[in-house]
Amino acid sequence: MNLEQIESIFMAKQGATKDFPFGDDTMVFKVMDKMFGLISLKTTPLNINLKCDPNDAIAYRDIYECVNPGYHMNKKHWNTITLDGTMKEEIVKDMVNESYDLIVSKLTKKQREELFFK
């Protein structure tokens, strides 16, 4: 999976925005100003950080060698995935969806209405 492919998965989410608050080498994706994913542009292969349910975070780490505790993130809630081709693209997409959904679920009712019914 290359940069354009993973970026398009992030940007396909309703209300997703892209920013570089940590410098030119870290692409950050937000919904309603809350992070749901990061891409490290300085690594080859690419690394992405995604929010996870704490139990799922551990399970992903146990199943996939390419998944590690979130680099520079709360390791209970975030994983870093190395996009080295060992994880199926569908699983990566599911993890992006889960990260997005976790963030959206914590938004207020008003924010969710604004996001989905503008």
Side-chain angles (χ1 to χ4, degrees), residues 61-84:
R61 293 174 205 161
D62 288 343
I63 296 168
Y64 299 100
E65 281 188 38
C66 63
V67 179
N68 292 292
Y71 181 70
H72 283 301
M73 306 296 278
N74 180 329
K75 290 164 183 18
K76 180 177 180 182
H77 296 279
W78 288 82
N79 276 338
T80 297
I81 299 95
T82 301
L83 299 179
D84 61 3

mmCIF file of all heavy atoms in Angstrom, residues 61-84:
data_model
loop_
_atom_site.group_PDB
_atom_site.id
_atom_site.type_symbol
_atom_site.label_atom_id
_atom_site.label_comp_id
_atom_site.label_asym_id
_atom_site.label_seq_id
_atom_site.Cartn_x
_atom_site.Cartn_y
_atom_site.Cartn_z
ATOM 1 N N ARG A 61 -1.677 -6.555 17.898
ATOM 2 C CA ARG A 61 -0.230 -6.723 18.136
ATOM 3 C C ARG A 61 0.150 -8.184 18.241
ATOM 4 O O ARG A 61 1.242 -8.577 17.825
ATOM 5 C CB ARG A 61 0.176 -5.986 19.411
ATOM 6 C CG ARG A 61 0.058 -4.491 19.315
ATOM 7 C CD ARG A 61 0.326 -3.831 20.646
ATOM 8 N NE ARG A 61 -0.337 -2.533 20.706
ATOM 9 C CZ ARG A 61 -0.603 -1.887 21.812
ATOM 10 N NH1 ARG A 61 -0.259 -2.383 22.980
ATOM 11 N NH2 ARG A 61 -1.214 -0.715 21.755
ATOM 12 N N ASP A 62 -0.740 -8.980 18.830
ATOM 13 C CA ASP A 62 -0.470 -10.417 18.976
ATOM 14 C C ASP A 62 -0.536 -11.152 17.633
ATOM 15 O O ASP A 62 0.203 -12.099 17.397
ATOM 16 C CB ASP A 62 -1.460 -11.054 19.948
ATOM 17 C CG ASP A 62 -1.213 -10.668 21.392
ATOM 18 O OD1 ASP A 62 -0.105 -10.172 21.712
ATOM 19 O OD2 ASP A 62 -2.132 -10.852 22.218
ATOM 20 N N ILE A 63 -1.424 -10.695 16.750
ATOM 21 C CA ILE A 63 -1.655 -11.383 15.486
ATOM 22 C C ILE A 63 -0.659 -10.963 14.410
ATOM 23 O O ILE A 63 -0.176 -11.796 13.644
ATOM 24 C CB ILE A 63 -3.096 -11.126 14.990
ATOM 25 C CG1 ILE A 63 -4.094 -11.741 15.973
ATOM 26 C CG2 ILE A 63 -3.310 -11.684 13.588
ATOM 27 C CD1 ILE A 63 -5.536 -11.310 15.745
ATOM 28 N N TYR A 64 -0.333 -9.666 14.354
ATOM 29 C CA TYR A 64 0.473 -9.139 13.257
ATOM 30 C C TYR A 64 1.797 -8.579 13.754
ATOM 31 O O TYR A 64 1.824 -7.711 14.620
ATOM 32 C CB TYR A 64 -0.286 -8.008 12.530
ATOM 33 C CG TYR A 64 -1.580 -8.453 11.913
ATOM 34 C CD1 TYR A 64 -2.790 -8.209 12.556
ATOM 35 C CD2 TYR A 64 -1.602 -9.126 10.696
ATOM 36 C CE1 TYR A 64 -3.990 -8.621 11.992
ATOM 37 C CE2 TYR A 64 -2.789 -9.541 10.125
ATOM 38 C CZ TYR A 64 -3.981 -9.279 10.787
ATOM 39 O OH TYR A 64 -5.165 -9.693 10.222
ATOM 40 N N GLU A 65 2.881 -9.047 13.166
ATOM 41 C CA GLU A 65 4.208 -8.522 13.520
ATOM 42 C C GLU A 65 4.376 -7.067 13.126
ATOM 43 O O GLU A 65 5.175 -6.345 13.713
ATOM 44 C CB GLU A 65 5.307 -9.358 12.842
ATOM 45 C CG GLU A 65 5.596 -10.651 13.551
ATOM 46 C CD GLU A 65 6.809 -11.347 12.970
ATOM 47 O OE1 GLU A 65 7.794 -10.667 12.602
ATOM 48 O OE2 GLU A 65 6.765 -12.591 12.886
ATOM 49 N N CYS A 66 3.619 -6.618 12.133
ATOM 50 C CA CYS A 66 3.739 -5.241 11.647
ATOM 51 C C CYS A 66 2.986 -4.236 12.525
ATOM 52 O O CYS A 66 3.013 -3.038 12.258
ATOM 53 C CB CYS A 66 3.250 -5.135 10.201
ATOM 54 S SG CYS A 66 1.509 -5.510 9.981
ATOM 55 N N VAL A 67 2.335 -4.701 13.584
ATOM 56 C CA VAL A 67 1.588 -3.818 14.481
ATOM 57 C C VAL A 67 2.311 -3.735 15.818
ATOM 58 O O VAL A 67 2.623 -4.757 16.434
ATOM 59 C CB VAL A 67 0.140 -4.314 14.691
ATOM 60 C CG1 VAL A 67 -0.615 -3.397 15.646
ATOM 61 C CG2 VAL A 67 -0.588 -4.423 13.364
ATOM 62 N N ASN A 68 2.568 -2.509 16.250
ATOM 63 C CA ASN A 68 3.268 -2.245 17.501
ATOM 64 C C ASN A 68 2.518 -1.173 18.287
ATOM 65 O O ASN A 68 1.681 -0.461 17.725
ATOM 66 C CB ASN A 68 4.696 -1.767 17.215
ATOM 67 C CG ASN A 68 5.533 -2.873 16.610
ATOM 68 O OD1 ASN A 68 5.839 -3.841 17.258
ATOM 69 N ND2 ASN A 68 5.863 -2.724 15.328
ATOM 70 N N PRO A 69 2.833 -1.036 19.579
ATOM 71 C CA PRO A 69 2.213 0.059 20.342
ATOM 72 C C PRO A 69 2.472 1.395 19.658
ATOM 73 O O PRO A 69 3.521 1.602 19.045
ATOM 74 C CB PRO A 69 2.917 -0.018 21.697
ATOM 75 C CG PRO A 69 3.394 -1.432 21.810
ATOM 76 C CD PRO A 69 3.737 -1.843 20.401
ATOM 77 N N GLY A 70 1.519 2.307 19.752
ATOM 78 C CA GLY A 70 1.586 3.587 19.057
ATOM 79 C C GLY A 70 2.830 4.392 19.372
ATOM 80 O O GLY A 70 3.090 4.706 20.537
ATOM 81 N N TYR A 71 3.582 4.713 18.352
ATOM 82 C CA TYR A 71 4.810 5.489 18.488
ATOM 83 C C TYR A 71 4.440 6.921 18.867
ATOM 84 O O TYR A 71 3.684 7.588 18.171
ATOM 85 C CB TYR A 71 5.586 5.455 17.170
ATOM 86 C CG TYR A 71 6.894 6.193 17.195
ATOM 87 C CD1 TYR A 71 7.969 5.704 17.931
ATOM 88 C CD2 TYR A 71 7.065 7.374 16.491
ATOM 89 C CE1 TYR A 71 9.178 6.380 17.950
ATOM 90 C CE2 TYR A 71 8.265 8.055 16.507
ATOM 91 C CZ TYR A 71 9.321 7.550 17.246
ATOM 92 O OH TYR A 71 10.517 8.221 17.273
ATOM 93 N N HIS A 72 4.976 7.394 19.986
ATOM 94 C CA HIS A 72 4.709 8.734 20.519
ATOM 95 C C HIS A 72 3.227 8.963 20.831
ATOM 96 O O HIS A 72 2.755 10.088 20.760
ATOM 97 C CB HIS A 72 5.202 9.830 19.566
ATOM 98 C CG HIS A 72 6.674 10.043 19.609
ATOM 99 N ND1 HIS A 72 7.350 10.389 20.749
ATOM 100 C CD2 HIS A 72 7.610 9.964 18.633
ATOM 101 C CE1 HIS A 72 8.642 10.516 20.484
ATOM 102 N NE2 HIS A 72 8.822 10.243 19.202
ATOM 103 N N MET A 73 2.500 7.888 21.120
ATOM 104 C CA MET A 73 1.072 8.000 21.408
ATOM 105 C C MET A 73 0.774 7.207 22.686
ATOM 106 O O MET A 73 1.620 6.463 23.173
ATOM 107 C CB MET A 73 0.240 7.420 20.250
ATOM 108 C CG MET A 73 0.540 7.992 18.880
ATOM 109 S SD MET A 73 0.163 9.732 18.713
ATOM 110 C CE MET A 73 -1.573 9.670 18.390
ATOM 111 N N ASN A 74 -0.452 7.333 23.186
ATOM 112 C CA ASN A 74 -0.891 6.523 24.313
ATOM 113 C C ASN A 74 -0.962 5.076 23.833
ATOM 114 O O ASN A 74 -1.796 4.720 23.005
ATOM 115 C CB ASN A 74 -2.264 7.011 24.794
ATOM 116 C CG ASN A 74 -2.802 6.218 25.959
ATOM 117 O OD1 ASN A 74 -2.535 5.034 26.111
ATOM 118 N ND2 ASN A 74 -3.578 6.879 26.789
ATOM 119 N N LYS A 75 -0.076 4.253 24.337
ATOM 120 C CA LYS A 75 0.075 2.896 23.835
ATOM 121 C C LYS A 75 -1.110 1.994 24.170
ATOM 122 O O LYS A 75 -1.274 0.943 23.572
ATOM 123 C CB LYS A 75 1.388 2.306 24.339
ATOM 124 C CG LYS A 75 2.549 3.020 23.632
ATOM 125 C CD LYS A 75 3.857 2.816 24.282
ATOM 126 C CE LYS A 75 4.995 3.558 23.656
ATOM 127 N NZ LYS A 75 4.755 4.658 22.776
ATOM 128 N N LYS A 76 -1.943 2.416 25.090
ATOM 129 C CA LYS A 76 -3.148 1.651 25.406
ATOM 130 C C LYS A 76 -4.188 1.803 24.297
ATOM 131 O O LYS A 76 -4.939 0.881 24.015
ATOM 132 C CB LYS A 76 -3.730 2.133 26.735
ATOM 133 C CG LYS A 76 -4.982 1.414 27.162
ATOM 134 C CD LYS A 76 -5.458 1.896 28.511
ATOM 135 C CE LYS A 76 -6.724 1.167 28.917
ATOM 136 N NZ LYS A 76 -7.241 1.642 30.198
ATOM 137 N N HIS A 77 -4.220 2.975 23.662
ATOM 138 C CA HIS A 77 -5.276 3.296 22.716
ATOM 139 C C HIS A 77 -4.820 3.442 21.265
ATOM 140 O O HIS A 77 -5.665 3.609 20.384
ATOM 141 C CB HIS A 77 -5.961 4.603 23.119
ATOM 142 C CG HIS A 77 -6.657 4.520 24.428
ATOM 143 N ND1 HIS A 77 -7.914 3.970 24.564
ATOM 144 C CD2 HIS A 77 -6.277 4.902 25.672
ATOM 145 C CE1 HIS A 77 -8.273 4.034 25.837
ATOM 146 N NE2 HIS A 77 -7.300 4.583 26.523
ATOM 147 N N TRP A 78 -3.519 3.415 21.013
ATOM 148 C CA TRP A 78 -3.013 3.647 19.658
ATOM 149 C C TRP A 78 -2.040 2.550 19.242
ATOM 150 O O TRP A 78 -1.250 2.068 20.064
ATOM 151 C CB TRP A 78 -2.293 4.991 19.578
ATOM 152 C CG TRP A 78 -3.218 6.163 19.645
ATOM 153 C CD1 TRP A 78 -3.740 6.727 20.772
ATOM 154 C CD2 TRP A 78 -3.727 6.917 18.550
ATOM 155 N NE1 TRP A 78 -4.544 7.784 20.439
ATOM 156 C CE2 TRP A 78 -4.548 7.940 19.085
ATOM 157 C CE3 TRP A 78 -3.559 6.850 17.177
ATOM 158 C CZ2 TRP A 78 -5.210 8.852 18.276
ATOM 159 C CZ3 TRP A 78 -4.205 7.774 16.372
ATOM 160 C CH2 TRP A 78 -5.028 8.762 16.925
ATOM 161 N N ASN A 79 -2.105 2.181 17.976
ATOM 162 C CA ASN A 79 -1.155 1.247 17.380
ATOM 163 C C ASN A 79 -0.430 1.920 16.222
ATOM 164 O O ASN A 79 -0.993 2.784 15.554
ATOM 165 C CB ASN A 79 -1.871 0.007 16.824
ATOM 166 C CG ASN A 79 -2.137 -1.043 17.876
ATOM 167 O OD1 ASN A 79 -1.475 -1.085 18.900
ATOM 168 N ND2 ASN A 79 -3.103 -1.900 17.614
ATOM 169 N N THR A 80 0.804 1.495 16.004
ATOM 170 C CA THR A 80 1.553 1.869 14.808
ATOM 171 C C THR A 80 1.606 0.646 13.910
ATOM 172 O O THR A 80 2.005 -0.439 14.342
ATOM 173 C CB THR A 80 2.982 2.322 15.168
ATOM 174 O OG1 THR A 80 2.900 3.501 15.976
ATOM 175 C CG2 THR A 80 3.801 2.612 13.922
ATOM 176 N N ILE A 81 1.179 0.836 12.668
ATOM 177 C CA ILE A 81 1.171 -0.248 11.688
ATOM 178 C C ILE A 81 2.208 0.074 10.618
ATOM 179 O O ILE A 81 2.177 1.151 10.013
ATOM 180 C CB ILE A 81 -0.224 -0.416 11.031
ATOM 181 C CG1 ILE A 81 -1.281 -0.749 12.084
ATOM 182 C CG2 ILE A 81 -0.194 -1.501 9.963
ATOM 183 C CD1 ILE A 81 -2.015 0.424 12.597
ATOM 184 N N THR A 82 3.131 -0.841 10.406
ATOM 185 C CA THR A 82 4.112 -0.707 9.341
ATOM 186 C C THR A 82 3.503 -1.314 8.084
ATOM 187 O O THR A 82 3.154 -2.496 8.067
ATOM 188 C CB THR A 82 5.429 -1.414 9.704
ATOM 189 O OG1 THR A 82 5.932 -0.839 10.911
ATOM 190 C CG2 THR A 82 6.462 -1.279 8.605
ATOM 191 N N LEU A 83 3.352 -0.505 7.054
ATOM 192 C CA LEU A 83 2.717 -0.955 5.809
ATOM 193 C C LEU A 83 3.746 -1.660 4.931
ATOM 194 O O LEU A 83 4.148 -1.175 3.876
ATOM 195 C CB LEU A 83 2.083 0.234 5.087
ATOM 196 C CG LEU A 83 0.988 0.965 5.867
ATOM 197 C CD1 LEU A 83 0.450 2.147 5.064
ATOM 198 C CD2 LEU A 83 -0.136 0.028 6.265
ATOM 199 N N ASP A 84 4.138 -2.849 5.399
ATOM 200 C CA ASP A 84 5.180 -3.625 4.718
ATOM 201 C C ASP A 84 4.615 -4.716 3.808
ATOM 202 O O ASP A 84 5.362 -5.530 3.282
ATOM 203 C CB ASP A 84 6.133 -4.223 5.743
ATOM 204 C CG ASP A 84 5.445 -5.169 6.716
ATOM 205 O OD1 ASP A 84 4.219 -5.425 6.568
ATOM 206 O OD2 ASP A 84 6.117 -5.643 7.658
#
